[in-house]
Amino acid sequence: QTWGIIIATITLLLVHPIFAVILLCWSIAFLCITFLFLKPIQHLSFAFAESKTTSVGRMVDSISNIINVRLFARHKEENQEIQKSIATVVSNDRAMQRKIILMRSFWDLSIIILMSLNLFILLNMYSKNQVTIGDFTFVITLSIGILWNLWYVAGQFVSFSEEIGVCKQALSIISHP
């Protein structure tokens, strides 16, 4: 993906240097936005995985001790505890999903800015006969290709951060004395 951005930047330098600068600045800003959100997503993923493990453990404990629950008529209390743990899981998942949606909103905004800026400059340059229709098409097509590639790579970073949170939680259980 990095080579694609480098080759695209060099190619855009041949069309007009302003588009290479715009694409490079946008790529850096896009990746910075992504990396700013990765650490909080990791922490939220850890909290989600931890609450999910606790909830599943509570359910397994309740089911495996069903005779004691029946013997002491604790159905209502067990049900309340399980509902509370499920509510915590849902709350943690929502917090993580909100952070991911916020990050993706910034991604979308940056894409709109990139395409709008490119279109504005291209239309302005075309009206002054500084670019051809081929240049116009090439810049837009290349920009779309690069932004979708970066979107995919950034999405993989987010998935990786979520999995790191889950792994940290699993390792904390294993390493706990």
Side-chain angles (χ1 to χ4, degrees), residues 53-114:
T53 300
T54 301
S55 181
V56 169
R58 184 168 296 285
M59 285 182 219
V60 168
D61 187 46
S62 181
I63 291 169
S64 64
N65 292 313
I66 194 71
I67 293 173
N68 291 332
V69 171
R70 286 182 176 175
L71 186 63
F72 294 103
R74 302 278 301 170
H75 295 27
K76 189 175 182 179
E77 290 81 2
E78 286 294 318
N79 191 22
Q80 287 173 343
E81 288 298 317
I82 289 173
Q83 285 180 352
K84 221 186 309 183
S85 68
I86 289 173
T88 303
V89 171
V90 169
S91 173
N92 288 337
D93 183 43
R94 283 185 179 160
M96 182 178 66
Q97 294 305 323
R98 270 190 226 108
K99 187 63 87 171
I100 291 171
I101 288 169
L102 180 63
M103 178 190 60
R104 291 197 172 170
S105 297
F106 280 113
W107 287 358
D108 293 344
L109 181 63
S110 75
I111 288 170
I112 291 168
I113 290 169
L114 170 72

Side-chain angles (χ1 to χ4, degrees), residues 7-20 23 138-139 142-143:
I7 291 170
T9 305
I10 292 169
T11 308
L12 284 175
L13 277 170
L14 300 174
V15 174
H16 204 282
I18 188 78
F19 299 115
L23 182 65
F138 178 73
V139 168
L142 193 61
S143 296

